[in-house]
Structure formats: C-alpha cells, structure tokens
Amino acid sequence: SLANRLQDTFNRLRGKGKLSESDVKEAMREVRLALLEADVNFKVVKDFVEKVRERAIGQEVLQSLTPGQHVIKIVNDELTELMGGSQAKLNISNKPPTVIMMVGLQGAGKTTHTGKLAKLLQKEKKKPLLVACDIYRPAAIKQLQVLGEQLQVPVFSLGDQVSPVEIARKGLEHAISYGHDYVLIDTAGRLHIDETLMDELRNIKEAVQPSEILLVVDAMTGQVAVEVAETFNNTLDVTGTILTKLDGDTRGGAALSIRAVTGTPIKYVGTGEKIDAIEPFHPDRMASRILGMGDVLTLIEKAQASIDQDKAMDLERKMRNADFTLEDFLDQLSQVKNLGPLDQILGMLPGMNKVKGMQNMNVDDKQINRIEAIIQSMTPAERREPKLIDSSRRKRIAKGSGMTVQDVNRLLKQFEEMQKMMKQFSGMAKKMKGKKGKK
Ligand code: GDP
Ligand code: MG
C-alpha cells in the first residue's frame, strides 16, 4: 500500500544523520512511484515531487532537527497543501435559506449523503428541508423519504411527473415559507456523464442559486473520480467535494488529486453506509494517515517549538558518537519536560514501542524530577565519568538528593544501558555507511 511504501522509504531516511542531494532524489523516486501506484494523477505527482525536492535540498534541511525528520515534515506539509491546506467548511448564504445541491454519478452516494448532511445540520440545531429531484432512478424519491422519516426531517417531493427544475424551485419556495434555514437538493445521476444530465443540473443551479454545489464522488473509482470531478466542475463550478466510501479498500489517490485538479476542497468524507458515517475532511490528518506514521509530525512540531536547534544537533552528534554524559542527560531531561509527559513523547516516536524494554519504561514527570535531583547532586567530574561513583559517593549523592542508594544505583544502571544502546546504534550507523561506500 501507499502507506507501507512511504513508511519504508522514510524509515530508511530516518537512520541518516545528514541528507544529501542524492538521498532526497532517491526518496523522491520512491514517493513518486508510490503515488502513481496509488492512482494519483500523473501531473499532480510530478508537481508534488518537484516541490518537495526543491524544499528538501539545501538550507532548510540543515536547520531541521534531523534531516530525515525535516523531509518527512516537508512531504507532509506539501501533501496537506495539495489536499487544500486547512479544513473547508460549508458555505453559508447570508440570505437564508442556504441551498446545497448534491451532484454526481449514479451510485456515488448523493442520496445517502444528503441524509448524512441533514443529520449533521440537525445536530447544530438547524432546520433542513430535503428536496427530491431525482425523478429517474426507480425508488429514488422513496429512498430520500425513508431517510427523512428516520431523521424526522421533512422531504419535499412532487412525484416523478414534474421536472426536476420545477421541483427544486418549488422546494425552495416551500422552505422559505416554512422557515427552513437549509435546503438540500438531491439530484439525479447517470452511470456516466451525459449532456442531458448536465443541462438539467445547470438549469437547477440557475433556478435556485445554491451557495454550495457538492460533488459526491466514490473514492473507490480512483482515477475515474478525478475525471468526473473535472467534468462536473467545468460545467457547474462545484464548490466542494464529498469523497465517499473511504471505509472500503480504497487507495488514497482520489483524495490527493481531486483538490489539485478542480481547485475545490474536499469538505466531507463518507465512511460507511450508516447515517452518521460522515466526517469533515481534514487535509492534515489525511496526509498523516497516508504517511502512516502516527503522531510523528505532532512530535516534530513540538520538538521544533521547544528544543533549541543547535543543542539538538549537538546532542544528536553526541548520541551518534556515544559520548553522551550524565550532564547531557540532565540537560536533555529539562528540555523533555517542556515537551510534555515523557511516555507520551516516547509513544509518538515511530518504532519506539518495538524497542525492547521501552514499553515498561513508563517514565512520568515525578520520576524525571527525581532523576534530576540525583544528577544535580553529583559533581561535574562524576557526571562526565560515572565510573568514579563508588559506594561512598553513592551514599553522598543519595543523601544530597533525598533519595535512597537504590535509587542512585538504578539510575546509574539505566544510564549504562542507555549508553550501551547508543553504542549499538552508532555501530549500526557506521556499518551502514561502510556498506553504502562499497557499492
Ligand atoms: P446516489 O445514486 O448517488 O444517490 O447513491 P446512493 O446514496 O443511493 O448510494 C449508493 C450506494 O452506496 C448505497 O448502497 C449506499 O449505501 C452506498 N454508500 C453511500 N455512501 C457510502 C459510504 O460512505 N460507504 C459505503 N460503504 N457505502 C456507501
Ligand atoms: Mg440517489
């Protein structure tokens, strides 16, 4: 899957200290392939990769926490941007009622999502009216009426012998005289785009002047969804998209492309057949989901805000060279405290739950305070060279920090383990470098 492939790529990046131009190039080749495989529009992929490449190589990389993390952030930012940036809300008419017209191919989910939207509006104490303008599909009117009954929302219908344009117009009049603040117009679809349908939709639009024309597209149709979006947009100037059936075994391609191709935001996603299976579309969340890296981005943002960049780089170098001392540990602890609860931070790191022993480390803030107190009771020489700390020194440190000798022992033991782990990591990094040099 796209998520897996990207994750593999970024896992490789994450092991690196520095990011060269060729690293970025290699990573971007993977990203491009992954996106193309996920059915993302070719041109969208090309632009995307170019943008990320430009941003990733050079100065910005140097300023980041680690180059790998920075590239991840850039990819995420650009994916988010590609899908519209921030969350897009429904347009509201300043002269109520607000008219929302649902358009799209047959079977995309227009009728279902008319119901879902009505339910959302109902929750906000709005008074929607549903208007049944699909007079062609057998039982389409009935389907809307059943939804209306279920929600206790009125449905306006004139049967299937009156033109949809007329139904829409009368429906709006009805809404005005009955004090509805929203009118949701459910229209007909075809199995494929045809001119008769487009003309009809254009005429309905003309008649009711909707604030919102929502294109309902089935995410499972991939690249076809993008073509549909383009055609509907050219005819009707849609104002937003609802991407349905994201609960299925869908690839992320449509979500990535639709906004880029039509210039209109995805406003909601449909995640099931049930009436409340609808969610506002969050481009940033979608991007993170596509990247499949949990809350790693939240972590990066937090870290960037509160850790001094130079210090972080310095620390990273020290960790790689395994000359990390108790002094550095103390320094790091005070920075970690600014980030938030330590176990939460560790939980955000990808792969951290896989590191042996990390699960039960369970460090809380109180524990950090205790560790700080112990280290602060050591002399600078002891902090640099823990081997100096014999049993009489341990007693002194315990006394000075108000802890027991066992507490001091435990800390020193933990620190020793940590150093071992870092040595292993740095050994691994050196090996990897050697390998790369050979080929
Ligand atoms: P319309 O022809 O555009 O009005 O499409 P419908 O609203 O009648 O939906 C067509 C089919 O897709 C129905 O069986 C719906 O239950 C189903 N459907 C709609 N939205 C979703 C969704 O988000 N997830 C899933 N799994 N099924 C959906
Ligand atoms: Mg329908």
Side-chain angles (χ1 to χ4, degrees), residues 107 109-112 134 137 140 143 186-189:
K110 293 178 297 298
T111 307
T112 311
D134 182 358
R137 196 182 191 180
Q143 186 189 355
D186 182 31
T187 68

Side-chain angles (χ1 to χ4, degrees), residues 104-114 116 134 137 143 147 186-187 189 216 218 220 243-248 269-274 277:
L105 293 185
Q106 187 169 314
K110 293 178 297 298
T111 307
T112 311
H113 284 78
T114 302
K116 290 179 183 180
D134 182 358
R137 196 182 191 180
Q143 186 189 355
L147 282 169
D186 182 31
T187 68
V216 181
D218 181 340
M220 302 216 280
L243 196 58
T244 68
K245 309 188 191 181
L246 265 185
D247 51 310
V269 294
T271 55
E273 300 200 38
K274 295 224 178 73

Side-chain angles (χ1 to χ4, degrees), residues 220-249:
M220 302 216 280
T221 57
Q223 197 60 44
V224 174
V226 181
E227 277 162 39
V228 168
E230 205 169 11
T231 313
F232 271 87
N233 189 47
N234 287 343
T235 315
L236 293 168
D237 286 326
V238 302
T239 56
T241 300
I242 299 182
L243 196 58
T244 68
K245 309 188 191 181
L246 265 185
D247 51 310
D249 192 17

Side-chain angles (χ1 to χ4, degrees), residues 64-65 307-317 335:
S64 73
L65 212 57
I307 295 187
D308 173 50
Q309 303 270 333
D310 293 341
K311 253 190 187 163
M313 301 272 275
D314 190 40
L315 195 67
E316 207 235 288
R317 184 185 53 74
Q335 292 193 356

Side-chain angles (χ1 to χ4, degrees), residues 295-360:
D295 287 330
V296 66
L297 296 150
T298 317
L299 171 69
I300 294 169
E301 259 146 40
K302 275 188 172 185
Q304 278 179 336
S306 46
I307 295 187
D308 173 50
Q309 303 270 333
D310 293 341
K311 253 190 187 163
M313 301 272 275
D314 190 40
L315 195 67
E316 207 235 288
R317 184 185 53 74
K318 279 184 168 166
M319 285 171 98
R320 260 186 292 129
N321 297 334
D323 54 7
F324 183 78
T325 67
L326 277 162
E327 191 110 24
D328 297 320
F329 191 33
L330 184 64
D331 203 39
Q332 200 194 15
L333 281 178
S334 60
Q335 292 193 356
V336 164
K337 275 213 293 201
N338 298 334
L339 285 178
L342 191 54
D343 49 351
Q344 220 172 299
I345 303 277
L346 291 176
M348 283 193 248
L349 290 171
M352 212 32 139
N353 48 356
K354 288 189 208 127
V355 176
K356 237 166 92 190
M358 271 305 175
Q359 303 96 310
N360 12 0

